[in-house]
């Protein structure tokens, strides 16, 4: 889908300072070589299976199916080691970094899930890890900070800008400029300059490829609807991409925050315009002068003003429908899935569950709906408990 | 050739390029700062267009961007500021900006308005030559010099491509990192100047980390045609925000010391 220029349609590209160009060119060449290398593919599959726990189940949700009047399945990325889909990418990139002779990994994190997954891969492959994390996110995701540190990663607080994911990416990029010779920047989503959106997508498509097989096995056919949450968009593209040429409808649920009209949200595709952030031309949230706008979401992982360039293309092609799910709706879905199915979703994934709940009445009995449950919700229970405290 | 090329040709010595963020700490004091730098002896003024997410910049310039944005600075006001400078000076003015600012404003409109205000050159910090197609076309039409960065990891093939497109001068990045003040001239800077000098007669300006007259003199000795100081200047503005007179004095003194360090090797320093 991406050509020699590293573009998805008109989106993508490499808008980075000159000092990063050599590293991106080296990364692209190494990746193209390694992705065809049998030993690499075998090693990666080995770790995904025996260490990370793939394939993850495709769980039929009896109660939810009854309630919504369709066949509802969850793709259980919450059961992947680390508690989210992130490890698919970090294992792949950490192996790639080792292959390239890099001695150190740096990463950004919002909710902390990508930081945790990088810490896991780093610990297992003996690569030191430094994770840049906004101060505000550190405060709301304490548990993940502790997990990263337990596994030997150093968490570096980011105090610039909005002190969230966007600024963590800025700091990681700045750090990378000064250390490109021995350091790999292990970016956590399908964002950033080429070749990152391509590499991360390739490592995440294991989700969609498994769903194809599992759906064929259980239902004898492909699903009718796919739903995933979209922050940067890696779990969504991982699910969607293997189905792009099939007759399957796809919905990406963005963070509606307090509502699109309030301006306090993270719904980049629903409420943004094209521009350049973090090295790529893509939709983004910006003000009338091209300054990057502040965002808000109940979920730290979706609190980001940019989105992967491939999603921007899929939006313009109308191949995927992107919708905004507000905080309240996500919170309702969080409780709904916990109560109905005994599965506590990550607040990010709760946005996808909410999108499925909206389909009630519009889908028929035989429709197969697959929701990507991109992560588990343990990290969010303190936030939800605090909100309940507010109410009562 | 426009004003930048003429300045390099006529000086007969290496130049001192002074960087500030346009609108830091506010519009009026930013004009005063530019004026002080020019009166102190800056040969070229480089103005940063404030951006919310300046990934090539270290903490000092990030803070300046924040102050300028907080004071309500917009691209239109940057052009007004350049017009204001043009009332008292003909020194070349270069804008340093990020791609999204230009893209959002509209590339042709940005270059037209910049040219109209008296801007001579534009450097887009996050635009490598690979992405410069749409911009180059407009830059040529408007007669504005498009300036590119070169660093030690720039491959020979890419260097040739940059050289084909670059105008005005080449901005050599002294070390692999973001902007900021260094205590000593990075060891790679001299080697970079020498290796690029072999390949082109285009003026070479060295930036990133350059802070003291010693650094500037070292850059000149290595054969560069200009030294660029930024964070050191921004730090002076930051330290003197509550006293404009002190700020102006300190900037003048600083610019003068840097300018005097840029005499040809062998010439006696004037200050």
């Amino acid at each position: 889908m991406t050509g020699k220029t590293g573009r998805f349609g008109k989106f993508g590209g490499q808008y980075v300072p000159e000092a990063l160009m050599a590293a991106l060119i080296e990364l692209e060449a190494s990746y193209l070589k390694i992705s065809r290398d049998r030993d690499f593919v075998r090693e990666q599959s080995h770790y995904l299976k025996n260490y990370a726990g793939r394939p993850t189940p495709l769980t039929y949700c009896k109660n939810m199916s009854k309630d919504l009047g369709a066949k509802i399945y969850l793709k259980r990325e919450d059961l992947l080691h680390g508690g989210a889909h992130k490890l698919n990418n970090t294992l792949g990139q950490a192996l790639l970094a080792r292959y390239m002779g890099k001695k150190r990994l740096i990463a950004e994190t919002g909710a902390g899930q990508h930081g945790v997954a990088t810490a896991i891969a780093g610990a297992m492959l003996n690569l030191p890890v430094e994770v840049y994390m906004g101060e505000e996110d550190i405060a709301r995701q304490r548990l993940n900070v502790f997990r990263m540190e337990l596994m030997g990663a150093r968490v570096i607080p980011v105090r610039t800008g909005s002190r969230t994911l966007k600024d963590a990416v800025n700091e990681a990029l700045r750090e990378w400029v000064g250390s490109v010779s021995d350091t790999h920047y292990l970016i956590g989503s399908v964002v950033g300059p080429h070749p990152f959106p391509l590499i991360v997508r390739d490592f995440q498509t294991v989700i969609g490829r498994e769903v194809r097989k599992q759906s064929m096995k259980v239902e004898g056919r492909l699903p009718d609807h796919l739903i995933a949450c979209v922050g940067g968009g890696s779990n969504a593209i991982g699910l969607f991409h293997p189905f792009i040429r099939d007759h399957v409808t796809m919905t990406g649920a963005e963070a509606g925050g307090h509502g699109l009209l309030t301006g306090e949200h993270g719904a980049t595709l629903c409420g943004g315009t094209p521009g350049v952030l973090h090295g790529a031309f893509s939709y983004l949230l910006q003000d009338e002068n091209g300054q990057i706008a502040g965002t808000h979401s109940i979920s730290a992982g979706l609190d980001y003003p940019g989105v992967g360039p491939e999603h921007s293309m899929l939006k313009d092609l109308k191949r995927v429908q992107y919708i905004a799910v507000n905080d309240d709706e996500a919170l309702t879905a969080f409780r709904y899935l916990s109560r109905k199915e005994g599965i506590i979703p990550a607040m990010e994934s709760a946005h996808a569950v909410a999108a499925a709940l909206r389909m009630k009445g519009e889908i028929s009995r035989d429709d197969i709906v697959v929701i990507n449950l991109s992560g588990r919700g343990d990290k969010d229970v303190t936030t939800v408990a605090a909100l309940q405290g507010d109410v009562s | 050739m426009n004003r930048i090329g003429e300045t390099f040709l006529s000086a007969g010595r290496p130049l001192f390029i002074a960087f500030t963020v346009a609108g830091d700490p506010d519009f009026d004091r930013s004009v005063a700062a530019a004026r002080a730098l020019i009166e102190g002896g800056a040969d070229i003024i480089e103005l940063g267009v404030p951006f919310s997410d300046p990934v090539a910049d270290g903490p000092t310039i990030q803070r300046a961007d924040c102050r300028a944005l907080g004071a309500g600075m917009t691209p239109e006001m940057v052009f007004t500021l350049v017009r204001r400078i043009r009332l008292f000076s003909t020194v070349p003015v270069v804008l340093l900006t990020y791609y999204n600012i230009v893209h959002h404003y509209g590339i042709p409109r940005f270059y037209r308005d910049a040219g109209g205000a008296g801007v001579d050159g534009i450097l887009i910090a996050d635009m490598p030559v690979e992405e410069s197609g749409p911009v180059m076309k407009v830059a040529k039409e408007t007669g504005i010099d498009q300036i590119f960065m070169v660093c030690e990891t720039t491959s020979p093939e890419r260097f040739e491509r940059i050289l084909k497109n670059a105008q005005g001068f080449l901005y050599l990045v002294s070390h692999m990192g973001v902007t900021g003040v260094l205590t000593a001239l990075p060891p790679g800077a001299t080697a970079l100047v020498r290796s690029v000098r072999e390949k082109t007669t285009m003026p070479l300006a060295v930036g990133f980390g350059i802070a003291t007259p010693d650094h500037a003199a070292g850059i000149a000795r290595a054969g560069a045609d200009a030294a660029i100081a930024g964070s050191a200047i921004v730090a002076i503005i930051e330290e003197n925000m509550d006293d404009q007179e002190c700020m102006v004095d300190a900037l003048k003194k600083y610019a003068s010391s840097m300018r005097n360090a840029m005499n040809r090797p062998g010439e006696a320093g004037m200050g």
Side-chain angles (χ1 to χ4, degrees), chain B residues 4-5 13 17 30 36 52 56 60 65 70 80 83-85 88 124 140 154 156 162 174-175 200 202 215 224 243:
Chain B
I4 293 173
R13 58 169 170 81
I17 303 180
S30 187
S52 55
T60 306
D65 280 0
T80 308
R83 270 198 203 90
R84 198 69 70 81
I85 292 172
F88 59 81
I124 302 177
K140 281 186 183 133
T154 303
I162 290 168
S174 75
H175 72 113
T200 177
M202 193 158 195
H215 295 165
D243 190 336

Side-chain angles (χ1 to χ4, degrees), chain B residues 243-261:
Chain B
D243 190 336
Q244 188 172 328
E245 225 169 279
C246 276
M247 180 189 88
V248 165
D249 277 353
L251 288 174
K252 264 194 211 171
K253 266 190 205 130
Y254 178 77
S256 153
S257 69
M258 293 296 280
R259 155 70 185 80
N260 287 338

